[in-house]
Each structure stands twice: as C-alpha cells, then as structure tokens.
Amino acid sequence: MTLILGGGIGGLSAAHYLIKAGTKNPTLLESTNRVGGWIQSIKDTKTGIVFEKGPRTLRIRGNIGMNTLSLIEELGLPEKIKPITIDHPSAKNRFIFVNNRLHILPTSFSSLFKKTPPFSSRLFRGLWRDLTSPVKRSNDDTVYAFIERRFGGEVADYLVSSMICGICAGDAKEISVKFFVPGLFEAEQKHGSVIKGYVKEIMQKRKVVDVEKNLNPVGSLHEKAKTEKWSVFGLDGGMTTLVEAIKEEIATKGAVIKLDSQVTNLSVQPGGVKCCINGKDIYESNQLISALPAINLAPLVKEEHPLLAEELSKIPYVTVAVVNLAFKGQLLDREAFGFLVPPSQGLPILGVIFDSCNFPQDNHTILTVMMGGKWFNKFFGENPTEKRLLNIAVGHCRDILGITQIPICHHTSIQRNCIPQYVVGHHDRIARIYSYINEKRLPLSLVGSSYTGIGIHDVILSAKRAAEQCANR
C-alpha cells in the first residue's frame, strides 16, 4: 500500500498518477474536512457569485502547462475550460500603483524607447545597462539585487518587486533569483549579460527545434490552446472543479480518502512507513508520498530524522489575507487583470485582481484584494479581525479605484502559512533534503509547493514524478 499525506492538489494528483501507473488502492489522509488545500471556490448563497480564495487561472506555460492540460483531458473536463486569449484586455493590461496613481505596465517593444511613468527614464536604458555592466559571479542572489544590478533600481523596485508580491506575496530582497528567473541568472553567469545570453539561446533553439517537437506532449487541448492563442484559462465553477473531478476519479478507481485524519506520529525507515492518525489508528505502508507543506512535515520526522526536519523547517512561509468583494454594476473604468503594489509604497495591500474582467458574472464588479504576505504582522498584527481586514480592503478599493458603493456580498479569510518563500539558498537546501532521503534510502517522496515550484502546474508535475518514482521502486 502507498500512503499519501495531504489532500491538496498535490496529494490528489499523486493518487491519480499512482493509479494510472498501476498502484492499487492508495490511501490519502487529509487532516481537514475537505480536499483541495489552498484551492477553494466559494459560491455566495444569495447572489450565486463564485469567489476564489486561492488560484483562479492557469497560465499556458511550456510543457509543464501542457502536462496540466493532459490531466484535465484525462479527467474529461475540456468543456469546463474558460480560456482567456492573448488579445484579451486582462491578458494584455496590468497596472502597478506607484506614487498614488495607477500606471499601466509597458506591453510593446516600442514602449521600451518611451519614457513611461512611473519610470523616470526609458526602459531601453536598462537593456543598455545590462549589456555594459560587469558580471557578478555567485551561486545565488536575491531577485531584487540581480535586477537592480542588471537593469536598474526602478525596474527592481516598481516592476520586479511588484511581480514577486503577486507571485508569492514575498519580498524581492529575500527571494532567490535562481528559482524565479533561473534563465536570466544563468545567462549572466554563462555569458556575462542577460541580453547576450538571450540572443545565444534563440540561436541554439533554432538548431534543436525539430528535436523538441518530438518531446512535446500531444493532445487535442494542446492544439486548441495553441490555435486559439490562450494566455491563461479558468474552469467553469471555479478551480474547485478540478479538485472535485480528481477526487471523484480516484475514489471511483479504488483510492481511499480519509478526511479529518490528523497525523500525530510518523515513522519512516528503509523497511517501511508507520503512521498514527488522531492518536489511535495505525496505517502501515511500504511507500509514503508527503504532499504536506514542509513546515508541517518537519515536526513529524524530527524524532527519527532531526537533520531532515531542520532543513524542512528552514523553508519560510507567509500568511495572506484574502478579501473577495462584489458590487452591483460595472464600476471599473479600465479593463485589466488587476494591479500590484510595490512594497516601497508602504501599503498593506499586495494587489487587487479584477475578477469580473477575467470572467464576468452577470452585471457585477468582482474584486479580490490580497493583503499582508511578508508584511502581514507589520500591518495587521497576529490576529486581526475579519471586519478590520474587510474595512481596509474596501477602503483601498475606494481610494485607488474610486468605488464608493458598499459591496453586495463579500468573503474574508486569513490563509495562514499558505505560500512558501524560496529565499536565497533554497536551491541548495532542496538538494540537501533530497540527498538525505536518498542516502538513508527512505521510502519517502515529496510533493507540493514547498520544493521545486509554487504554482499549480509545478505541484501537479511534482506529483506525477513522485508517482513514477514510487512505481519504479
């Protein structure tokens, strides 16, 4: 028997791929009363409006994105897909809030040669800076320091810091460049310049394009996405649709799903795994897939594997307040994905997503306000009330977007320790974690956002690889 700890998208996907590989009756243990983890779609009972508490769209991104499309196809969900094409306003338009104004981010090559607020000079100067700046040889660096060095302080402050807030609610002055823009970092280290490295990469790709064609996954959804030029896509009914489809599929094919099953004791040895649930029920297995956050797995393995626990516990996490708002009528004076706020602006909000621009729901303006992250305690303390968070979110939508109406419905939640932070040194830490597991010959596979990628695509792919690893043992 194979045990899976954690019923988020990682654990569910692991069960799917295990069954696909021939594993009989995998058992999935989830500590809460629902599966899905940070993916959660909520339908307001009075208005029928669907709010997303976590991810809402998936980007079409290379083979890793195509892998997710293959999963969706296997689950029979193609008709549920709601694509957004590259020419849609929410795909093209993104704003940042700087100096008390919203500024649209440059989207064309020609805009590089124009002075575009809030930038004090043309962005082309940043490219020239990269071509003329000396290389800094290092094993890793922060995203902020790297971009500031190669392209200038304003690009690092306004553009990249905002992007990091949107991706992981983190501080670009701490996040590892090696994990978030590894290609740019490698270009500097190998070629002395991002631009030089980019040009050489294009030349090399032309030589291997025919080989890569044979490596790309094939499927009707893949072709449809390419033909119709999708940028991102969502699902009818929200992202929970994907969660429920996997849950139903694996249950039908023999997976055992145990909710409200808190792991209270865990033993992982080369000979097998023993897991105690709720202080009484014992499960034994020859293989374990952990889809738990590293912060939750660490105390479970501390007694037997203190070195492993120490490495796991050093992966930091941040807490995000999510406030969903719905207003009657079309109240936004611009169509876009939303806007982000650089940390330098000193606001408690990370950004606002214009949900109703992405996926309209009748005649409503629907927004999601993300707050806190790395700066949660600074702005809100340990235990802010939902009312306080709601008032802050509504206040900033009024001040920045000019929305003076009272929301017709809303939902506020605090997602504690929801996003891992890939700080400088993360790459080496993950290598040490995997090395320890291999050297000790532990029947343990790690899945989820704590390790090699925080997006849904990354988590699903990690689940696929873990299942294949188990099948080959």
Side-chain angles (χ1 to χ4, degrees):
M1 180 179 73
T2 299
L3 273 178
I4 303 169
L5 303 185
I9 188 66
L12 292 170
S13 299
H16 166 83
Y17 288 118
L18 281 171
I19 293 171
K20 188 177 178 181
T23 300
K24 302 293 185 183
N25 310 118
T27 297
L28 186 151
L29 305 174
E30 165 57 39
S31 63
T32 70
N33 62 1
R34 53 172 286 273
V35 294
W38 300 117
I39 296 178
Q40 187 176 15
S41 311
I42 296 176
K43 189 172 185 178
D44 182 71
T45 54
K46 293 183 179 179
T47 63
I49 291 172
V50 176
F51 291 134
E52 294 283 11
K53 307 308 300 177
R56 66 212 59 231
T57 57
L58 297 175
R59 186 170 295 279
I60 303 299
R61 191 182 62 152
N63 284 351
I64 190 172
M66 294 302 157
N67 179 69
T68 301
L69 283 178
S70 294
L71 173 61
I72 288 173
E73 207 156 21
E74 291 170 13
L75 296 170
L77 294 178
E79 298 304 316
K80 295 287 187 178
I81 287 181
K82 298 163 63 176
I84 294 177
T85 57
I86 59 175
D87 58 352
H88 191 279
S90 68
K92 294 191 300 181
N93 301 331
R94 281 168 168 76
F95 290 84
I96 55 175
F97 186 73
V98 174
N99 299 329
N100 295 314
R101 287 188 58 191
L102 285 173
H103 303 273
I104 191 167
L105 292 175
T107 57
S108 64
F109 181 74
S110 62
S111 63
L112 297 176
F113 301 91
K114 300 175 183 177
K115 185 178 176 181
T116 308
F119 302 99
S120 61
S121 61
R122 298 175 222 181
L123 290 177
F124 178 77
R125 288 192 176 184
L127 303 183
W128 180 252
R129 179 189 178 104
D130 173 66
L131 288 169
T132 58
S133 295
V135 62
K136 176 187 175 183
R137 301 296 178 187
S138 66
N139 184 51
D140 201 353
D141 206 347
T142 69
V143 179
Y144 190 97
F146 174 82
I147 296 298
E148 182 181 37
R149 182 172 69 250
R150 303 307 320 172
F151 301 103
E154 287 188 338
V155 176
D157 190 10
Y158 298 152
L159 187 59
V160 174
S161 290
S162 300
M163 178 186 73
I164 294 299
C165 283
I167 293 173
C168 67
D171 187 349
K173 294 181 178 179
E174 297 180 355
I175 299 299
S176 167
V177 67
K178 207 167 183 176
F179 261 87
F180 278 91
V181 280
L184 302 189
F185 180 69
E186 289 173 9
E188 182 199 40
Q189 297 301 302
K190 290 181 180 179
H191 307 289
S193 159
V194 173
I195 304 301
K196 291 176 185 176
Y198 180 72
V199 172
K200 289 183 179 180
E201 185 179 332
I202 290 177
M203 299 302 292
Q204 290 174 352
K205 279 187 175 181
R206 288 178 179 176
K207 297 178 182 179
V208 299
V209 64
D210 292 333
V211 176
E212 288 186 343
K213 282 181 181 178
N214 297 326
L215 299 177
N216 289 333
V218 178
S220 58
L221 266 186
H222 311 143
E223 295 304 319
K224 187 177 178 67
K226 291 178 182 178
T227 302
E228 297 180 1
K229 298 181 179 180
W230 295 359
S231 172
V232 298
F233 66 92
L235 293 169
D236 188 28
M239 292 305 296
T240 294
T241 297
L242 174 60
V243 169
E244 291 301 320
I246 303 176
K247 176 186 174 183
E248 181 179 347
E249 187 247 7
I250 63 175
T252 300
K253 293 183 178 180
V256 178
I257 302 173
K258 298 274 189 181
L259 301 180
D260 297 310
S261 299
Q262 179 70 51
V263 179
T264 51
N265 190 272
L266 179 65
S267 174
V268 184
Q269 294 294 334
V273 177
K274 186 177 292 186
C275 187
C276 181
I277 303 300
N278 300 329
K280 54 181 181 179
D281 298 328
I282 302 295
Y283 290 84
E284 295 187 21
S285 171
N286 59 350
Q287 295 190 104
L288 175 69
I289 293 179
S290 173
L292 299 176
I295 195 174
N296 294 342
L297 178 61
L300 296 176
V301 299
K302 185 175 181 179
E303 183 176 346
E304 288 185 340
H305 307 285
L307 293 179
L308 176 60
E310 183 180 4
E311 294 288 7
L312 291 168
S313 65
K314 286 183 178 178
I315 299 174
Y317 286 73
V318 297
T319 295
V320 178
V322 179
V323 181
N324 303 108
L325 305 170
F327 305 88
K328 194 165 184 63
Q330 303 297 323
L331 305 181
L332 294 172
D333 61 2
R334 65 204 83 197
E335 289 189 304
F337 185 83
F339 71 85
L340 295 169
V341 183
S344 61
Q345 303 306 296
L347 297 184
I349 68 171
L350 302 167
V352 177
I353 300 171
F354 300 171
D355 293 301
S356 50
C357 288
N358 296 319
F359 304 118
Q361 296 188 56
D362 297 326
N363 187 34
H364 295 114
T365 296
I366 304 169
L367 309 172
T368 298
V369 185
M370 303 170 295
M371 307 194 297
K374 171 65 180 179
W375 305 270
F376 187 91
N377 286 352
K378 172 185 174 181
F379 288 113
F380 310 123
E382 289 286 344
N383 295 297
T385 64
E386 290 188 2
K387 182 178 180 180
R388 182 186 170 205
L389 295 172
L390 174 63
N391 289 338
I392 291 173
V394 171
H396 280 90
C397 288
R398 178 192 63 239
D399 296 341
I400 298 173
L401 299 173
I403 297 177
T404 57
Q405 283 190 22
I406 297 173
I408 59 172
C409 61
H410 56 81
H411 195 280
T412 301
S413 63
I414 299 175
Q415 313 282 47
R416 295 197 179 276
N417 296 325
C418 61
I419 308 179
Q421 303 292 285
Y422 291 4
V423 298
V424 172
H426 183 81
H427 182 275
D428 292 339
R429 174 164 291 115
I430 298 307
R432 290 193 296 271
I433 289 172
Y434 288 155
S435 177
Y436 182 95
I437 292 172
N438 292 332
E439 288 175 3
K440 299 295 183 181
R441 297 186 178 182
L442 302 181
L444 169 65
S445 298
L446 302 178
V447 166
S449 62
S450 298
Y451 309 106
T452 58
I454 66 171
I456 290 179
H457 290 328
D458 303 298
V459 172
I460 291 174
L461 184 60
S462 73
K464 183 178 183 180
R465 288 171 174 167
E468 291 172 350
Q469 184 182 41
C470 289
N472 294 328
R473 277 179 181 152

